[in-house]
Amino acid sequence: MRFRPVSAIHIWNALIADAAAAHMNMLRVWAVDSIEENAFYDLCDRMAFLIWQDFIFACGIYPEEDAFAENVRVEALENVRRLRHRASLALWCGNNEMEAGLGGLEVEQPERAPAVQSLKAGYDRMFHHLLPDVVAAEDPDRPYWPSSASSGIPFSDPNGQQRGDTHYWDVWHGRKPFTAYREQFPRFMSEFGFQALRLTRRSRCMPSPKTRI
């Protein structure tokens, strides 16, 4: 289950209780959001959930300058020290979908190969050295996973089904039927799903077809 944080503790309580009732045992704090408040981890500790904790890097390209890398190191250090005592914390993950994205860019736009190689070098510095070094020094008993999805081997079939974790969005995003899930056999499916309807109260704010411009 991918967990998208909200601020009200009673809503957290209800969501985590619902996850437990559905026989889930792990929540992922997703890189597109934020590292959560202590109250969230208090609830997960108390309800015996495991937490897959992303660092907050996702679906993009980040600066390669030394000053930025130092800022990342300090932020990672502060958050690892803040959360390393948590019973619920199971794993640190470097980012969301950046490895797969760079690999796809190289395949889809071969004319940009030199630029992509430079981006890969910056990626390697941050996600294969800087962040795992912080985790190894400050929280050595917990595993570090470089990206989601990843095979665990840099840029080697990062969304494959033979190693590591997989994201599968061909149902909904790829317009395949729900039966397509029966053809997927990954080692660990860390993302899949279907886009939900918007909140009713937001739908009521939308203009009617007659009044749309």
Side-chain angles (χ1 to χ4, degrees), residues 2-3 5 28-35 52-59 62 93-98 148 191:
R2 177 201 292 171
F3 186 83
R28 179 179 172 205
V29 181
W30 187 36
V32 176
D33 293 302
S34 62
I35 294 180
W52 171 308
Q53 178 67 60
D54 286 358
F55 287 100
I56 310 305
F57 300 96
C59 307
Y62 291 85
C93 180
N95 68 78
N96 178 72
E97 295 187 348
M98 289 176 59
S148 182
E191 276 194 28

Side-chain angles (χ1 to χ4, degrees), residues 206-213:
M206 299 292 289
S208 68
K210 292 182 180 179
T211 58
R212 288 178 190 159
I213 298 174

Side-chain angles (χ1 to χ4, degrees), residues 7 37 42 45 61 64 73 84 93 105 130 133 135 137 144 153 179 185 189 202 204:
S7 58
E37 301 170 19
D42 290 341
D45 287 348
I61 296 169
E64 300 177 30
R73 188 192 68 80
R84 62 188 176 185
C93 180
L105 185 64
L130 191 157
D133 286 353
V135 172
Y144 170 86
I153 301 173
T179 52
F185 302 97
M189 184 78 80
R202 291 188 178 174
R204 290 171 181 157

Side-chain angles (χ1 to χ4, degrees), residues 7 11 51 59 72 75 89 94 111 158 180 184 189 208 211:
S7 58
I11 299 178
I51 296 298
C59 307
V72 169
E75 181 180 286
L89 184 62
E111 71 280 4
Q184 303 302 309
M189 184 78 80
S208 68
T211 58

Side-chain angles (χ1 to χ4, degrees), residues 179-206:
T179 52
Y181 285 125
R182 297 173 181 165
E183 302 168 4
Q184 303 302 309
F185 302 97
R187 300 284 293 177
F188 183 71
M189 184 78 80
S190 55
E191 276 194 28
F192 69 96
F194 197 89
Q195 186 177 33
L197 294 172
R198 66 172 65 92
L199 295 173
T200 303
R201 64 176 180 272
R202 291 188 178 174
S203 297
R204 290 171 181 157
C205 296
M206 299 292 289

Side-chain angles (χ1 to χ4, degrees), residues 57-202:
F57 300 96
C59 307
I61 296 169
Y62 291 85
E64 300 177 30
E65 289 82 0
D66 290 345
F68 182 78
E70 176 60 15
N71 187 66
V72 169
R73 188 192 68 80
V74 171
E75 181 180 286
L77 189 68
E78 291 173 349
N79 281 291
V80 170
R81 287 175 175 174
R82 180 169 74 90
L83 297 179
R84 62 188 176 185
H85 69 286
R86 293 289 181 177
S88 54
L89 184 62
L91 174 146
W92 294 99
C93 180
N95 68 78
N96 178 72
E97 295 187 348
M98 289 176 59
E99 181 181 342
L102 281 175
L105 185 64
E106 190 172 39
V107 171
E108 294 167 11
Q109 301 182 35
E111 71 280 4
R112 298 182 63 188
V116 174
Q117 288 303 313
S118 176
L119 294 174
K120 281 186 170 183
Y123 177 99
D124 180 69
R125 175 188 183 187
M126 184 178 297
F127 298 107
H128 297 145
H129 296 281
L130 191 157
L131 290 178
D133 286 353
V134 170
V135 172
E138 301 294 332
D139 194 14
D141 294 328
R142 285 196 178 85
Y144 170 86
W145 192 244
S147 183
S148 182
S150 178
S151 67
I153 301 173
F155 300 104
S156 175
D157 197 18
N159 202 35
Q161 299 200 358
Q162 303 304 311
R163 295 174 55 95
D165 68 312
T166 303
H167 294 183
Y168 185 73
W169 290 102
D170 280 1
V171 174
W172 169 56
H173 191 271
R175 299 187 178 184
K176 289 187 177 180
F178 284 104
T179 52
Y181 285 125
R182 297 173 181 165
E183 302 168 4
Q184 303 302 309
F185 302 97
R187 300 284 293 177
F188 183 71
M189 184 78 80
S190 55
E191 276 194 28
F192 69 96
F194 197 89
Q195 186 177 33
L197 294 172
R198 66 172 65 92
L199 295 173
T200 303
R201 64 176 180 272
R202 291 188 178 174

